Amino acid sequence: MYRGTTPTFLIELPESVAVSSFDAAFLTFEQNGDTVLEKDLTAMTLDTENNTITVTLPQEETLAFAGDKVVRYQLRFRIGGSAFATQKWQVTVEQ
């Protein structure tokens, strides 16, 4: 990912986790162990047919990341009274 661009993140979930059943969801981006950005369900596009989530970051938000460093991101969501989290993925931020 490059700072100042508008990347789209695509998250594919297993069939056992229907995106249509989410009560809440957060996609959190952290760098150097600190949360830099968090997107909630209203900022996500849910594709119930393909069971995917997409989130696009605007330029202003990618400029908040330090260049030449790794950003880790993770999806956390709630269905009913249960809370879940995915693995953490990572991407290097380029200048």
Side-chain angles (χ1 to χ4, degrees):
M1 171 175 61
Y2 289 92
R3 293 180 76 239
T5 62
T6 57
T8 298
F9 292 83
L10 172 67
I11 299 172
E12 298 175 356
L13 294 168
E15 290 180 19
S16 60
V17 180
V19 297
S20 61
S21 62
F22 284 10
D23 294 317
F26 298 92
L27 185 62
T28 304
F29 295 83
E30 64 179 40
Q31 200 170 40
N32 299 322
D34 296 321
T35 297
V36 177
L37 176 65
E38 187 169 77
K39 305 297 266 187
D40 68 13
L41 196 55
T42 63
M44 300 177 190
T45 301
L46 306 180
D47 180 341
T48 57
E49 186 175 320
N50 294 307
N51 210 41
T52 60
I53 296 170
T54 55
V55 174
T56 300
L57 303 182
Q59 287 179 305
E60 302 81 27
E61 291 177 345
T62 60
L63 288 170
F65 298 124
D68 301 320
K69 299 212 181 278
V70 169
V71 167
R72 289 180 177 77
Y73 59 101
Q74 181 181 43
L75 178 69
R76 294 179 175 271
F77 55 95
R78 192 178 69 244
I79 300 172
S82 299
F84 304 91
T86 65
Q87 66 184 26
K88 288 187 180 182
W89 299 283
Q90 67 181 39
V91 61
T92 300
V93 178
E94 304 289 341
Q95 292 287 355

